[in-house]
Amino acid sequence: MPVGMWLVFIRLIRKYELFNTAYENTKAFMWKSLNIRQKTTLVAFFLMSFLFFELFWRMFFEFLIAYLQMRDALLQIKP
């Protein structure tokens, strides 16, 4: 899902001039105002966030699969 969202954002930036302008202005402002340590911290934060969202996404679906398997097993016990 996070990769899909990333692809949607890239498509929006390429397709609509408003998104592209906002993206370019924000990127230029952020990179000019941060020093190298802050840039490294920012990139590391977004990388860690991405990995945690991937982990959360996987755990969510594994829970959903387990829940549905338990539900099916309980329905078969019905007298």
Side-chain angles (χ1 to χ4, degrees):
M1 186 66 180
V3 173
M5 289 178 60
W6 186 28
L7 294 174
V8 168
F9 286 139
I10 289 173
R11 183 170 180 214
L12 285 173
I13 289 169
R14 289 183 181 163
K15 188 172 183 178
Y16 298 108
E17 186 64 31
L18 179 65
F19 285 107
N20 188 23
T21 304
Y23 169 72
E24 291 297 329
N25 289 341
T26 304
K27 183 174 76 169
F29 173 74
M30 289 294 291
W31 288 118
K32 280 193 284 186
S33 63
L34 297 175
N35 62 31
I36 192 71
R37 184 171 185 258
Q38 291 171 331
K39 289 178 187 177
T40 305
T41 304
L42 184 67
V43 169
F45 172 75
F46 281 111
L47 183 63
M48 294 276 291
S49 296
F50 180 80
L51 293 175
F52 280 118
F53 283 129
E54 284 289 332
L55 179 65
F56 172 76
W57 189 251
R58 180 182 173 124
M59 288 174 59
F60 174 74
F61 277 103
E62 286 183 7
F63 172 78
L64 186 61
I65 290 168
Y67 171 78
L68 292 175
Q69 287 177 350
M70 286 187 287
R71 180 187 173 275
D72 289 342
L74 289 173
L75 285 176
Q76 289 177 359
I77 296 175
K78 185 170 67 173

